[in-house]
Amino acid sequence: MDLAVLIKALVLGLVEGLTEFLPVSSTGHLLLIGHFLGFQSPGNTFEVLIQLGAILAILTVYGERLTRIALAAPTDPNARRFIAGVLIAFLPAVVIGVLAHDYIKEVLFETPAVVCTTLIIGGVILLVVDRMHFTPRYTDATGYPLSTYLAIGFFQCLAMIPGTSRSGATIVGALLLGADKRSAAEFSFFLALPTMAGAFAYDLYKNRDLLSVDDAAVIGVGFVASFVVAVIVVRRLLDFVSRHGYAPFAWWRIVVGTLGFAGLWLFG
């Protein structure tokens, strides 16, 4: 195994863990950095499969709470309602993701200019929404109306365009639908579990013939790095957004998208 490839995988894994749950688009960052590093993965599978590390980070941080909800479901209607809400929010991504999978991976993932554009546009939208003055109707991510969960699920589908950000789309959707900033971020964590697990399983199935033992080593390095950093981010993000809002991430997106365009202009 080429050491240089493993180092690139490590860098990309760290970026995945840092950005997966921030509203800045982990996939957009991975595709741009991978482009400029000259990193190639079969069918762009690496970028999806290392998300398993971020999934496990959520389970590590929220495992006890999720276990309580699962155990309470047989007798607690609120627990059952929340579980149903997450599944309802996940449903639009299942349908659209399966139907558009090949176009997303073969066209959108291969167009860095799309990533730069959506990073900037999404940053502007996030900045505008963050500055709007809402009176939150919902402060508990487990207590949204079922119709709100479904609407957030449709917002999440926007993130199938790389550079949009899954967490960013769900957070903006939740804010516009009446959630406060903290619970909007928290629900993006919960919705990530079925969404990312489904994407992982489906992408692994679709590209199973393209992967080799060497690919497993590269993916393993990226997975471990992603997991470690994602745990830190998940533990700190809610307090950060409660104090500072989402404007810092909006400006981050705009800067990265602009630098990406500059890099494409200079280096191709």
Side-chain angles (χ1 to χ4, degrees), residues 42 203-212 215:
D203 208 82
L204 183 62
Y205 169 75
K206 291 280 287 186
N207 294 284
R208 63 193 184 282
D209 296 331
L210 300 177
L211 300 174
S212 66
D215 294 320

Side-chain angles (χ1 to χ4, degrees), residues 183-255:
S183 72
E186 189 169 52
F187 184 67
S188 77
F189 294 163
F190 295 137
L191 185 54
L193 289 173
T195 303
M196 293 164 61
F200 174 90
Y202 189 66
D203 208 82
L204 183 62
Y205 169 75
K206 291 280 287 186
N207 294 284
R208 63 193 184 282
D209 296 331
L210 300 177
L211 300 174
S212 66
V213 175
D214 286 345
D215 294 320
V218 172
I219 291 168
V221 169
F223 159 77
V224 172
S226 170
F227 169 74
V228 173
V229 178
V231 168
I232 297 171
V233 171
V234 170
R235 291 187 186 278
R236 302 293 178 83
L237 180 60
L238 296 184
D239 289 338
F240 182 89
V241 298
S242 295
R243 293 194 303 269
H244 304 289
Y246 294 104
F249 305 117
W251 287 113
W252 178 348
R253 293 176 61 104
I254 292 169
V255 169

Side-chain angles (χ1 to χ4, degrees), residues 41-263:
S41 68
N44 288 304
T45 298
F46 174 88
E47 290 81 0
V48 175
L49 297 188
I50 65 169
Q51 291 180 347
L52 180 60
I55 297 172
L56 294 181
I58 289 289
L59 293 176
T60 298
V61 176
Y62 282 95
E64 183 178 348
R65 183 176 177 185
L66 292 171
T67 299
R68 286 201 308 270
I69 292 172
L71 293 176
T75 58
D76 184 351
N78 291 327
R80 291 196 298 272
R81 187 169 156 285
F82 171 63
I83 293 171
V86 173
L87 295 177
I88 287 170
F90 170 53
L91 186 59
V94 175
V95 177
I96 297 175
V98 170
L99 292 177
H101 176 272
D102 291 345
Y103 178 77
I104 293 167
K105 294 298 292 294
E106 295 171 10
V107 178
L108 297 181
F109 269 51
E110 298 293 342
T111 313
V114 169
V115 176
C116 297
T117 301
T118 50
L119 280 170
I120 294 171
I121 293 174
V124 172
I125 292 172
L126 187 60
L127 193 62
V128 170
V129 172
D130 186 67
R131 290 180 175 179
M132 295 172 69
H133 296 290
F134 299 102
T135 300
R137 289 177 287 162
Y138 315 117
T139 58
D140 181 358
T142 65
Y144 297 169
L146 293 180
S147 59
T148 299
Y149 288 125
L150 179 60
I152 293 172
F154 280 108
F155 271 97
Q156 178 179 239
C157 292
L158 296 172
M160 293 180 187
I161 304 172
T164 301
S165 171
R166 185 203 57 78
S167 60
T170 56
I171 287 169
V172 166
L175 292 173
L176 293 175
L177 292 165
D180 72 325
K181 293 178 180 179
R182 185 181 183 93
S183 72
E186 189 169 52
F187 184 67
S188 77
F189 294 163
F190 295 137
L191 185 54
L193 289 173
T195 303
M196 293 164 61
F200 174 90
Y202 189 66
D203 208 82
L204 183 62
Y205 169 75
K206 291 280 287 186
N207 294 284
R208 63 193 184 282
D209 296 331
L210 300 177
L211 300 174
S212 66
V213 175
D214 286 345
D215 294 320
V218 172
I219 291 168
V221 169
F223 159 77
V224 172
S226 170
F227 169 74
V228 173
V229 178
V231 168
I232 297 171
V233 171
V234 170
R235 291 187 186 278
R236 302 293 178 83
L237 180 60
L238 296 184
D239 289 338
F240 182 89
V241 298
S242 295
R243 293 194 303 269
H244 304 289
Y246 294 104
F249 305 117
W251 287 113
W252 178 348
R253 293 176 61 104
I254 292 169
V255 169
V256 171
T258 303
L259 291 176
F261 271 126

